[in-house]
Amino acid sequence: MSLVKIFLKEIGRYNLLLIFVIFSILSFLVVYLSLPQIENTTYAYIIKKDLEKEKRISDNITYKITDYKEDVDLRKKISKDENFYKRALDLLEVILEENTKYLYITYFEDGRSFILIDASKTDRMYFGELFEFLQEELPVINEALKTQKHQYLVHKSVNTIGLTLYKPFKDKHGKEYLFVIDYSIEKISYISDIIKILKDFILIIVFFSLVVLNTIVFLTIRSSYYKYKSFNDSLTGLYNRNYLQHIINLIDFKQYIVALIDVDFFKKINDTYGHLVGDKVLKEVANKIKKVIRREDILIRYGGEEFLLLARVERDKDKRLLLNLFERIRSEVENMKIFISEKDYLRTTLSIGVNLSPEKSKNLEEVIKKADIALYKAKSKGRNRVEIYDEEKESNERLVTVIEIKDAIEENRLLCFYQPIVSLKDGTVSHYEALVRIMDKDGKIIPPYKFLNVIENTFVYTKLTKAVIDYNINVLKKYKNIKVSINLKQADILN
């Protein structure tokens, strides 16, 4: 399992939390980005309400100014009738407020504008004086005169909003005038304060959400890395037994063939060339097997020089077709040169035990045990070969039960055969290797492949090991001039 796959699987445990955090971050960011628009919309509403009031006032003023009996235009009425002018000026001054800066009416002649009445607080002008509007006002004024509707111009500063209202109107003779009110309204401070508080609050929430998100990702990456390290063999880069235990409940054995692969005479390679060369052999063999198998197959370093291969079976395909895969693995390794120096190299071979029908077993332990029986046969037949576990043949031969083995040990029906180990230097026997056997109650010798795998990892296996040691001590007492070696596992020594 690659580090990326482990990470995706680990991060999947936090799906709901991640979705919530990410959704929250995005939602708050959307709100944060919308706050200026909300603020502007609020002020636009305030401006709209204030302008409605000013429009009503301007409509009332222009109505009263143009409501006179004489059939003359307003300009002549203002210039000739001083009382009317004073009443009109008083009318404008009545609506002057603290925030009103300029208040005046202009008329137009020959494309220019002139003051009709000016009630401004400062810089007042008099009737008939030429008045020039600012450049930025002209488009708004032209629109007001064209549509004969109110128009306004907004000037924003830090603390106030400046407004200029343009009210076009006509007198009895249809001449155009423009009533202008220039005033300001204070920004409502609590709106800005609320917006600022909301911005700060959102930034804090987003910050802490990002901290949570980063923490989840960091912890997931760290957890994935450690899990990846725990699932992979540091020497070969293959999966290890931890990974096998991790996927044990996920494997459908109907879809796999299980094989145990053992490097032949690996102990001799280690003893002759040293552990560094031994490690190199294991890495080279592992890489070669990885190149031969397919992507869907699972290769595990099962023990010191043992590999476990779960070969995926295609649906509706004969499982025996996959035997070519195992033969290719054996052949590729046999023909491989493993260089131990620039010029020197060595070769090695594989013994492979195959369980074609793992689905017939109760559990993984039994699946591997059957493959191990086939592997033992491959070794006993000379190594460098592929052996298949034959369910029918093995059932006929019948494996010895744990109780039968226990009884054989307790009834002293255990014995050892001795294989002489010959020195290549002088051809003499250096020592003897003890090979354990047991006898059934009928005196028939039972080979180890029928009982060792049955009792492996049980207390009976420990009893058998002790019994073999005791047996050989007695042999050595009887034959004091010989040397005997016993094959022990690391666990046997530590036990």
Side-chain angles (χ1 to χ4, degrees), residues 147-196:
T147 60
Q148 287 297 303
K149 292 182 179 178
H150 297 82
Q151 298 294 329
Y152 65 93
L153 192 62
V154 180
H155 321 276
K156 287 187 179 179
S157 64
V158 177
N159 298 315
T160 60
I161 300 174
L163 292 173
T164 305
L165 177 68
Y166 304 93
K167 159 64 178 173
F169 66 96
K170 294 181 180 180
D171 62 12
K172 294 180 178 182
H173 289 241
K175 291 187 177 181
E176 289 185 323
Y177 300 87
L178 190 65
F179 182 23
V180 180
I181 306 175
D182 188 273
Y183 66 102
S184 62
I185 56 175
E186 288 188 6
K187 286 187 176 179
I188 303 176
S189 59
Y190 73 83
I191 294 177
S192 297
D193 293 341
I194 291 173
I195 295 296
K196 186 178 183 304

Side-chain angles (χ1 to χ4, degrees), residues 233-237 263 266 269-271 273-287 301 303-305 307 336 338-340 346:
D233 177 59
S234 59
L235 177 64
T236 61
V263 180
F266 181 72
I269 294 173
N270 257 345
D271 293 342
Y273 299 100
H275 290 287
L276 290 178
V277 173
D279 289 347
K280 182 177 176 62
V281 169
L282 288 177
K283 286 192 282 188
E284 295 276 349
V285 169
N287 289 332
R301 187 183 178 193
E305 70 272 22
F307 302 93
M336 181 176 64
I338 302 173
F339 285 90
I340 57 177
L346 57 83

Side-chain angles (χ1 to χ4, degrees), residues 230-276:
S230 71
F231 284 166
N232 287 265
D233 177 59
S234 59
L235 177 64
T236 61
L238 301 178
Y239 297 129
N240 56 24
R241 285 198 179 200
N242 291 334
Y243 179 71
L244 182 63
Q245 293 302 317
H246 178 71
I247 64 171
I248 190 170
N249 296 321
L250 306 175
I251 296 177
D252 181 3
F253 284 111
K254 293 180 181 179
Q255 300 177 355
Y256 289 93
I257 290 175
V258 177
L260 267 178
I261 304 170
D262 187 84
V263 180
D264 293 331
F265 303 110
F266 181 72
K267 185 176 183 300
K268 289 184 179 180
I269 294 173
N270 257 345
D271 293 342
T272 305
Y273 299 100
H275 290 287
L276 290 178

Side-chain angles (χ1 to χ4, degrees), residues 83-298:
N83 290 330
F84 182 79
Y85 169 77
K86 286 183 178 181
R87 286 198 304 274
L89 184 60
D90 291 342
L91 195 61
L92 292 181
E93 288 179 341
V94 167
I95 64 171
L96 273 175
E97 295 179 354
E98 185 179 349
N99 62 334
T100 306
K101 190 173 184 181
Y102 299 106
L103 185 64
Y104 54 88
I105 300 174
T106 65
Y107 64 91
F108 301 92
E109 187 175 305
D110 299 328
R112 295 184 299 174
S113 56
F114 300 89
I115 291 293
L116 181 70
I117 305 175
D118 187 357
S120 303
K121 286 185 176 179
T122 60
D123 303 325
R124 283 193 182 186
M125 299 177 70
Y126 298 98
F127 174 81
E129 285 191 57
L130 178 65
F131 183 85
E132 292 186 3
F133 289 100
L134 297 175
Q135 197 65 32
E136 63 178 358
E137 294 181 285
L138 295 180
V140 181
I141 292 170
N142 291 334
E143 183 67 20
L145 295 173
K146 179 181 177 182
T147 60
Q148 287 297 303
K149 292 182 179 178
H150 297 82
Q151 298 294 329
Y152 65 93
L153 192 62
V154 180
H155 321 276
K156 287 187 179 179
S157 64
V158 177
N159 298 315
T160 60
I161 300 174
L163 292 173
T164 305
L165 177 68
Y166 304 93
K167 159 64 178 173
F169 66 96
K170 294 181 180 180
D171 62 12
K172 294 180 178 182
H173 289 241
K175 291 187 177 181
E176 289 185 323
Y177 300 87
L178 190 65
F179 182 23
V180 180
I181 306 175
D182 188 273
Y183 66 102
S184 62
I185 56 175
E186 288 188 6
K187 286 187 176 179
I188 303 176
S189 59
Y190 73 83
I191 294 177
S192 297
D193 293 341
I194 291 173
I195 295 296
K196 186 178 183 304
I197 291 170
L198 283 174
K199 283 183 177 181
D200 293 342
F201 174 75
I202 289 172
L203 288 176
I204 292 171
I205 293 295
V206 169
F207 173 76
F208 280 107
S209 298
L210 288 173
V211 169
V212 171
L213 186 63
N214 287 332
T215 302
I216 292 172
V217 172
F218 171 76
L219 292 177
T220 303
I221 290 173
R222 190 177 70 169
S223 170
S224 302
Y225 173 75
Y226 286 130
K227 187 166 285 188
Y228 173 78
K229 295 288 286 184
S230 71
F231 284 166
N232 287 265
D233 177 59
S234 59
L235 177 64
T236 61
L238 301 178
Y239 297 129
N240 56 24
R241 285 198 179 200
N242 291 334
Y243 179 71
L244 182 63
Q245 293 302 317
H246 178 71
I247 64 171
I248 190 170
N249 296 321
L250 306 175
I251 296 177
D252 181 3
F253 284 111
K254 293 180 181 179
Q255 300 177 355
Y256 289 93
I257 290 175
V258 177
L260 267 178
I261 304 170
D262 187 84
V263 180
D264 293 331
F265 303 110
F266 181 72
K267 185 176 183 300
K268 289 184 179 180
I269 294 173
N270 257 345
D271 293 342
T272 305
Y273 299 100
H275 290 287
L276 290 178
V277 173
D279 289 347
K280 182 177 176 62
V281 169
L282 288 177
K283 286 192 282 188
E284 295 276 349
V285 169
N287 289 332
K288 180 61 71 174
I289 297 174
K290 278 197 291 187
K291 289 179 181 178
V292 176
I293 63 176
R294 304 153 305 169
R295 179 178 292 181
E296 61 268 25
D297 299 331
I298 302 172

Side-chain angles (χ1 to χ4, degrees), residues 323-367:
L323 293 178
N324 293 328
L325 173 66
F326 304 118
E327 182 56 36
R328 275 182 59 212
I329 292 171
R330 187 203 64 77
S331 176
E332 289 283 340
V333 173
E334 182 184 25
N335 296 319
M336 181 176 64
K337 292 181 180 179
I338 302 173
F339 285 90
I340 57 177
S341 67
E342 289 185 3
K343 295 180 179 179
D344 300 323
Y345 64 87
L346 57 83
R347 295 181 185 272
T348 189
T349 57
L350 299 178
S351 296
I352 303 175
V354 181
N355 183 354
L356 279 178
S357 306
E359 73 276 5
K360 294 181 181 179
S361 302
K362 297 177 183 177
N363 49 48
L364 179 63
E365 185 179 348
E366 189 176 321
V367 169

Side-chain angles (χ1 to χ4, degrees), residues 352-412:
I352 303 175
V354 181
N355 183 354
L356 279 178
S357 306
E359 73 276 5
K360 294 181 181 179
S361 302
K362 297 177 183 177
N363 49 48
L364 179 63
E365 185 179 348
E366 189 176 321
V367 169
I368 296 174
K369 190 171 288 185
K370 290 178 179 179
D372 198 26
I373 292 171
L375 175 62
Y376 184 87
K377 285 189 175 182
K379 289 183 176 182
S380 63
K381 290 182 180 181
R383 294 180 169 82
N384 191 25
R385 61 189 296 118
V386 178
E387 281 292 324
I388 303 170
Y389 179 82
D390 190 325
E391 194 81 38
E392 185 177 346
K393 184 177 178 181
E394 294 297 334
S395 61
N396 289 336
E397 289 186 2
R398 193 178 72 83
L399 295 176
V400 184
T401 65
V402 174
I403 294 176
E404 289 173 330
I405 299 168
K406 181 174 177 289
D407 290 343
I409 295 169
E410 292 175 351
E411 295 171 9
N412 295 320

